Amino acid sequence: MNIIGNKFKIDLGMAKATLDIHSDTSLTFTIIEQNGNVVNISETVETNMVELRPQLFQVTWKEENGKTITQVQDYENEIVFSNVTLPNGQFINLKGTLKQAHK
């Protein structure tokens, strides 16, 4: 499966989002739920994607609010590990599911 040009749903428990992967240097994330509340926060970010093995990627980006994100996205096993550094330095580790969104 080629991830470029596809959309994926991420469920990290405390947050649910979609990823629209435009290229190996750009994606749009949309947070659709946060702490049980429906939200609609969207941002297109510049990314760095490294393929670690087929269907396993390390993806990093920095958001406008200063958060930095490092994810290990395992498309074969539908798992995502997300590491977030907040602007105040707090570090958060999350694990969740990663599934292709139906078009």
Side-chain angles (χ1 to χ4, degrees), residues 18-83:
T18 59
L19 296 180
D20 185 355
I21 302 176
H22 307 295
S23 69
D24 60 357
T25 61
S26 175
L27 68 78
T28 299
F29 69 84
T30 302
I31 301 171
I32 54 177
E33 185 178 307
Q34 196 167 17
N35 298 319
N37 298 312
V38 175
V39 296
N40 186 23
I41 301 167
S42 187
E43 184 178 339
T44 299
V45 292
E46 184 177 315
T47 62
N48 181 24
M49 292 187 184
V50 177
E51 187 170 14
L52 304 172
R53 67 158 165 74
Q55 304 303 305
L56 180 70
F57 293 84
Q58 176 181 283
V59 182
T60 59
W61 69 85
K62 185 173 182 177
E63 298 177 7
E64 287 178 2
N65 61 16
K67 287 181 190 173
T68 61
I69 312 294
T70 300
Q71 290 186 342
V72 175
Q73 300 172 350
D74 185 342
Y75 293 91
E76 181 178 343
N77 295 301
E78 298 184 329
I79 298 171
V80 62
F81 297 90
S82 189
N83 300 293

